[in-house]
Amino acid sequence: MTSKRMNVTQPKYQQIAVDVASKIVDQTFLVGDKIHARSTLANKYSVSPETARKAISVLVDLEIVQAKHGSGFYVHSIEKAKLFVDQYQDVQSIHDLKENLISSVKKQKEELSYFSEILDKLVGQTKRFDSFNPLNPVTFTLTDDAVHLEMTISELNLWQSTSATLIAIKHGDELLVSPGPYAKLTSGDTIYFVGHESTLQRVQNFFYPNS
């Protein structure tokens, strides 16, 4: 069995305890072997003697290592070392699953944010296209303040003055499509026309030159 990978989220002494237990399980350390906390563990893991002693204390508490008074610490049980390593791996598996879930949720949020951004751009471009599309009819309602009322389409010369192509007139509930040259415009009429981006402003200026 290979040594357990150390997890930086755990205290250093606990990481060392797990690693030593893993070495006991794969018999790098044999039952009865003496473990020197200061010379073996402190130097191997580049930690202080106190940290090494804490790691040994964990193993002693779990009866994986046995302390002999005046002699030192000795490997005591492979079975309990394996139980400790297995339990640690189970905890780490849960931790890894949690981290993966958090990472997945974060990624989904980023993807949704990107999708929302693209959608907003698409909607904005669609609106701009609708506004500027010369084939998209624009409506304009005439009020009592409008000039050129009661004049025929022929008399108005609307296209020559505004570049707007008149395609329909709504008078009350009646919609007159493709009005002829003798159709008249009156207050309350809504005209439908197509043109370029600046056409609407020209139509407004044509009927309301002083506004």
Side-chain angles (χ1 to χ4, degrees):
M1 181 176 177
T2 58
S3 298
K4 175 63 182 175
R5 174 180 57 87
M6 290 191 178
N7 191 323
V8 297
T9 62
Q10 299 295 332
K12 189 71 175 180
Y13 72 87
Q14 186 172 343
Q15 298 176 39
I16 295 171
V18 173
D19 200 56
V20 171
S22 298
K23 286 180 168 56
I24 293 172
V25 172
D26 64 23
Q27 299 186 44
T28 300
F29 296 145
L30 302 175
V31 173
D33 282 354
K34 184 175 183 179
I35 298 179
H36 301 276
R38 181 183 295 272
S39 60
T40 302
L41 301 188
N43 292 335
K44 176 178 174 56
Y45 297 103
S46 300
V47 296
S48 67
E50 178 61 25
T51 299
R53 280 194 292 270
K54 283 185 178 181
I56 291 295
S57 295
V58 171
L59 299 175
V60 170
D61 290 342
L62 296 174
E63 298 181 350
I64 298 170
V65 170
Q66 187 177 53
K68 294 184 179 181
H69 184 69
S71 177
F73 302 98
Y74 295 84
V75 176
H76 176 65
S77 173
I78 294 177
E79 291 76 13
K80 291 183 179 180
K82 186 176 186 307
L83 179 61
F84 175 46
V85 171
D86 289 345
Q87 289 176 340
Y88 180 83
Q89 289 175 338
D90 289 341
V91 171
Q92 288 305 107
S93 296
I94 294 173
H95 178 270
D96 289 342
L97 286 172
K98 179 182 176 182
E99 290 298 314
N100 290 339
L101 180 60
I102 292 174
S103 177
S104 177
V105 170
K106 181 180 179 181
K107 184 176 180 180
Q108 287 181 5
K109 286 183 178 180
E110 291 174 349
E111 290 175 348
L112 286 173
S113 177
Y114 175 74
F115 175 78
S116 177
E117 180 181 347
I118 295 299
L119 183 60
D120 287 343
K121 289 181 179 179
L122 177 61
V123 170
Q125 291 173 354
T126 301
K127 287 182 177 178
R128 287 194 294 273
F129 176 80
D130 288 343
S131 298
F132 304 153
N133 183 4
L135 299 180
N136 188 46
V138 180
T139 62
F140 189 83
T141 301
L142 301 172
T143 66
D144 292 335
D145 298 329
V147 299
H148 308 304
L149 296 178
E150 303 301 330
M151 294 179 64
T152 65
I153 301 300
S154 177
E155 293 171 334
L156 284 174
N157 292 320
L158 186 63
W159 183 84
Q160 291 86 344
S161 300
T162 65
S163 74
T165 300
L166 188 65
I167 59 174
I169 300 173
K170 184 177 182 183
H171 182 76
D173 295 330
E174 181 184 3
L175 181 65
L176 178 61
V177 180
S178 298
Y182 301 108
K184 287 186 177 182
L185 295 179
T186 61
S187 177
D189 285 352
T190 298
I191 60 175
Y192 295 75
F193 60 90
V194 294
H196 297 286
E197 180 181 354
S198 60
T199 302
L200 175 58
Q201 185 62 51
R202 292 180 182 179
V203 171
Q204 289 175 330
N205 293 338
F206 180 75
F207 288 103
Y208 301 95
N210 298 322
S211 61

